[in-house]
Amino acid sequence: DADVTQTPRNRITKTGKRIMLECSQTKGHDRMYWYRQDPGLGLRLIYYSFDVKDINKGEISDGYSVSRQAQAKFSLSLESAIPNQTALYFCATSAQSGRTDTQYFGPGTRLTVL
Amino acid sequence: AQSVTQLDSHVSVSEGTPVLLRCNYSSSYSPSLFWYVQHPNKGLQLLLKYTSAATLVKGINGFEAEFKKSETSFHLTKPSAHMSDAAEYFCVVSDQTLSGGYNKLIFGAGTRLAVHP
C-alpha cells in the first residue's frame, strides 16, 4: 500500500552494527506496528504503538527498540544486530474501527545480518 | 489462546481451475478473521475480512471465504485461478483478549499458491 512507506527496502549489515528501519504513513492512522516475517512462521509482532505516547512490546521484542517520533512515523532499531535478526520486516498501520481494526502493511524491508 | 492453522504450505493449480486454500482457527471468543495476500517482493494486501456479519465474505479479485463456526474454518476460494493469483496467502485471526482495545493479529504460516498454464 503506497500510503505506508518503509526505508530502506533492502539492507545488508554486519553483526554488532546499529540499524534503524523507518516507517512513514499518510493514512492518518493513530496505530502503528512492527512485524518480522520468517519463512514458515508467518508474521510475528515486535512492537506496537497506539499513539505518540504509547509504546508496547509484542511477542518478540528482545533485541529491538522503537521510537514514535510523530503520529505518522514509527522507527525500529536494532542496537547491535545479530545474524538471527535476518528477516523481512513489515510496518503496519490501523485506525480504531469498531470491533476490529484492519491493518495496512508497508512493502517491507529485507534485512540481512552477516 | 487463539491460533490459526493453514493446512497446506503449498497449493498448485492450473489456470482456470478452482482455488481452495484451507484455514482452521482456534478461538475462545467470536473471532475476526482475515485473508491477506503477499505477491513476490511486495507487502501484504488485504483480500477480505470477517467480523461477525455475513458468513460468506466476498473480497477483491474474485476471492471469497466462508466462516463456518461448527468446523472452526475460514477457507479461501476462487472459482477460476488466474496466473496473477500466484502468491503467498496468509490466514489471520484477531486476538481480542488483550486489554486496551488492541486487536492483536495472529498469522498462519502461509500457503504458497502456484498457478500453471
Side-chain angles (χ1 to χ4, degrees):
Chain A
D1 191 318
D3 298 323
V4 183
T5 58
Q6 294 184 232
T7 56
R9 294 293 311 280
N10 288 282
R11 181 72 184 268
I12 299 173
T13 191
K14 295 181 178 179
T15 297
K17 294 292 187 180
R18 184 178 187 274
I19 296 296
M20 178 179 286
L21 309 183
E22 299 185 342
C23 176
S24 295
Q25 52 112 349
T26 58
K27 299 184 78 69
H29 290 169
D30 52 351
R31 299 178 172 188
M32 298 187 74
Y33 312 81
W34 275 105
Y35 292 89
R36 67 175 280 173
Q37 182 183 23
D38 299 279
L41 294 179
L43 274 71
R44 293 179 293 167
L45 182 66
I46 305 172
Y47 272 94
Y48 63 99
S49 169
F50 276 5
D51 62 38
V52 175
K53 297 181 180 180
D54 176 81
I55 302 290
N56 302 280
K57 292 182 177 181
E59 58 186 307
I60 55 164
S61 59
D62 287 348
Y64 302 95
S65 62
V66 291
S67 173
R68 186 81 184 267
Q69 302 94 323
Q71 187 195 37
K73 295 184 182 296
F74 193 36
S75 299
L76 176 72
S77 293
L78 288 67
E79 296 300 326
S80 179
I82 56 177
N84 75 2
Q85 291 177 313
T86 293
L88 187 55
Y89 290 84
F90 287 103
C91 175
T93 74
S94 72
Q96 187 175 9
S97 175
R99 186 164 172 266
T100 304
D101 301 356
T102 295
Q103 294 187 20
Y104 297 89
F105 287 81
T109 295
R110 186 169 297 279
L111 176 66
T112 302
V113 183
L114 302 176
Chain B
Q2 294 181 318
S3 64
V4 59
T5 302
Q6 293 184 242
L7 299 171
D8 307 291
S9 58
H10 292 82
V11 171
S12 181
V13 301
S14 297
E15 190 174 21
T17 64
V19 175
L20 170 63
L21 305 183
R22 299 182 295 165
C23 174
N24 285 354
Y25 69 91
S26 171
S27 174
S28 302
Y29 298 83
S30 180
S32 293
L33 293 155
F34 306 78
W35 276 98
Y36 281 86
V37 60
Q38 183 181 22
H39 287 94
N41 300 314
K42 301 285 187 181
L44 280 77
Q45 180 183 20
L46 180 68
L47 275 179
L48 50 81
K49 171 182 177 180
Y50 166 78
T51 56
S52 79
T55 56
L56 183 62
V57 182
K58 294 188 182 299
I60 62 172
N61 300 334
F63 285 94
E64 63 183 34
E66 185 170 9
F67 174 72
K68 292 187 176 180
K69 186 176 181 179
S70 60
E71 299 176 10
T72 61
S73 69
F74 190 59
H75 301 334
L76 181 71
T77 61
K78 182 174 180 177
S80 177
H82 191 274
M83 295 296 289
S84 61
D85 294 328
E88 189 155 23
Y89 293 78
F90 293 94
C91 182
V92 183
V93 64
S94 176
D95 184 339
Q96 297 175 289
T97 61
L98 300 180
S99 62
Y102 168 58
N103 302 112
K104 176 184 174 182
L105 298 187
I106 299 170
F107 284 77
T111 297
R112 187 165 296 278
L113 176 66
V115 182
H116 302 288

